[in-house]
Amino acid sequence: METVKKKRNPIAIVFLAVLGIFGGLQFFNQPLEGKSVTQQIEAPREVISILENSCFNCHSNQQNLSWYDKIAPISWAVNKDVKRARQVLNFSEWNYSAGEHQGKMYAILNMMQSGKMPLHEYTILHSSAKVTQKDIDIIKKYTLSLSGVDTAKQKEKNIHQNLNLPENNTSSKFPVSPNGVKYTDDFKNWKVISMSTLFDNSIRVIYGNDIAVKAVETDNFHPWPDGSIVVKSVWKQQELPNGEIRPGEFVNAQFMVKDSKKYTDTEGWGFAKFSGNELHPTGKTASFAKESCIACHRQLGEKTGYLFDVPMKVNTERLIKNLQK
């Protein structure tokens, strides 16, 4: 008798091959590095609850990953994203001063309001992590409470207060940020290239040095030329008895210095913030800008050379179309 050969099912062969490859990938699957909680963020319970639900899985050492997040090749992307997220912001290593805590919360609120965080690709598989408008309102209310603005006390201040930046008379040497960016009074004589305000009712004036101004005038800021310096000076709003709004208490001066060779980790920009009348520089080490500043600027300002405020001079039809892409 002749043996009847059975015809092999190609679909079954493909399925078994895929299954074999998938199983083989698991041998190269490494678990996410476990890290301990050194100092967790302190905030009202309702705020912590939102952060735990929408942020902790990436931005902390307390992951509660789903089973499919732990399977290769998905786990490779998850591990990479978590490691990068921890470097930018880690709620389990919250060793910040009160001022830095406030700055971090403003950054978190900005990212939530702009829809940049949580990441869209993350919420596709983790829909419960999406933030609602109610969540944003809670974060906003808490963030604004950190500024400690007392409207009544502001009104009692001298209504003829001048629009002056603090003079650093306590020392003959101006302060220097940990990454080498130096504070300078020179920007008071620079041209104003833009103005803005924020949900905290602050007034912000953006100055540019000659190189930055020329880049604005010629639409040459993709990228901004080396040597460009942009300074954003921030004041709290002061409301006069007649309802007029003018700058009140000085908050800080935020510097961005373009040096593509020196600041390679932060898109060629050196960031610095000098706060209060003493012009206290932000950050304990030179890595502070990599861990905080550039993360927001990449998300919100990539199309404008990593600046949040596009100079009014260059709001051309070409630029508007570029921003709409």
Side-chain angles (χ1 to χ4, degrees):
M1 296 180 59
E2 294 184 359
T3 304
V4 179
K5 294 184 180 180
K6 293 184 178 180
K7 203 171 185 179
R8 295 180 180 178
N9 189 334
I11 296 179
I13 294 174
V14 171
F15 175 77
L16 290 174
V18 171
L19 191 62
I21 294 172
F22 183 77
L25 291 176
Q26 306 317 307
F27 289 102
F28 301 94
N29 190 18
Q30 295 182 351
L32 183 67
E33 178 188 2
K35 301 180 72 176
S36 60
V37 177
T38 58
Q39 186 171 340
Q40 188 165 319
I41 180 176
E42 294 183 3
R45 182 62 246 175
E46 58 183 355
V47 173
I48 295 295
S49 179
I50 295 170
L51 298 177
E52 287 178 340
N53 181 64
S54 301
C55 309
F56 268 45
N57 258 0
C58 292
H59 292 276
S60 81
N61 300 338
Q62 302 160 269
Q63 276 67 45
N64 183 24
L65 300 177
S66 303
W67 62 269
Y68 46 81
D69 292 324
K70 303 176 184 179
I71 298 176
I74 295 177
S75 63
W76 299 344
V78 170
N79 291 357
K80 181 180 179 181
D81 288 345
V82 170
K83 289 178 181 178
R84 184 174 183 274
R86 284 173 173 174
Q87 291 176 346
V88 173
L89 182 71
N90 193 331
F91 292 104
S92 300
E93 299 176 7
W94 199 263
N95 186 26
Y96 300 115
S97 65
E100 290 170 331
H101 174 98
Q102 179 183 346
K104 296 288 185 183
M105 289 306 305
Y106 272 110
I108 292 167
L109 179 57
N110 280 335
M111 299 299 275
M112 286 184 174
Q113 288 191 136
S114 64
K116 299 290 185 177
M117 287 288 170
L119 293 173
H120 175 66
E121 51 266 34
Y122 177 78
T123 56
I124 290 177
L125 295 177
H126 306 82
S127 57
S128 62
K130 293 180 179 180
V131 292
T132 64
Q133 186 57 51
K134 182 180 179 181
D135 294 335
I136 294 175
D137 291 341
I138 291 173
I139 297 294
K140 182 177 181 179
K141 181 179 179 181
Y142 170 65
T143 301
L144 291 176
S145 73
L146 297 174
S147 64
V149 176
D150 189 327
T151 305
K153 289 183 180 179
Q154 287 283 35
K155 289 183 178 180
E156 292 175 3
K157 287 187 176 182
N158 183 358
I159 62 174
H160 300 295
Q161 182 175 1
N162 292 325
L163 180 59
N164 289 325
L165 289 165
E167 299 290 346
N168 190 20
N169 294 324
T170 59
S171 172
S172 60
K173 184 179 180 181
F174 285 133
V176 180
S177 178
N179 59 351
V181 175
K182 298 179 181 179
Y183 175 87
T184 174
D185 273 339
D186 292 346
F187 75 88
K188 299 176 184 179
N189 301 315
W190 297 350
K191 287 186 178 180
V192 173
I193 59 176
S194 188
M195 297 182 69
S196 68
T197 186
L198 200 59
F199 46 78
D200 61 351
N201 295 321
S202 59
I203 295 176
R204 295 155 180 258
V205 180
I206 298 90
Y207 303 84
N209 68 352
D210 290 342
I211 298 176
V213 169
K214 184 177 180 180
V216 170
E217 293 174 344
T218 58
D219 290 3
N220 179 32
F221 56 97
H222 289 91
W224 290 80
D226 279 1
S228 298
I229 305 178
V230 178
V231 180
K232 179 184 290 184
S233 193
V234 184
W235 295 268
K236 293 179 181 178
Q237 286 187 12
Q238 178 183 350
E239 184 178 353
L240 305 187
N242 63 1
E244 179 186 350
I245 300 295
R246 64 172 57 184
E249 180 184 349
F250 172 77
V251 179
N252 59 55
Q254 303 170 19
F255 280 62
M256 289 179 65
V257 178
K258 185 63 186 296
D259 188 329
S260 57
K261 294 182 179 179
K262 184 175 182 180
Y263 301 109
T264 55
D265 290 338
T266 49
E267 305 296 348
W269 284 105
F271 293 86
K273 182 165 69 175
F274 303 94
S275 302
N277 291 325
E278 296 181 353
L279 299 172
H280 180 72
T282 294
K284 297 179 180 179
T285 66
S287 64
F288 80 93
K290 179 182 177 182
E291 297 167 354
S292 55
C293 306
I294 193 59
C296 288
H297 282 261
R298 281 194 182 110
Q299 293 286 345
L300 301 177
E302 184 177 2
K303 291 183 178 180
T304 55
Y306 301 104
L307 268 69
F308 289 159
D309 302 292
V310 180
M312 292 179 286
K313 166 72 178 178
V314 294
N315 280 331
T316 59
E317 182 178 355
R318 176 186 60 78
L319 179 59
I320 291 173
K321 288 181 178 180
N322 184 43
L323 292 172
Q324 291 175 339
K325 290 182 180 179

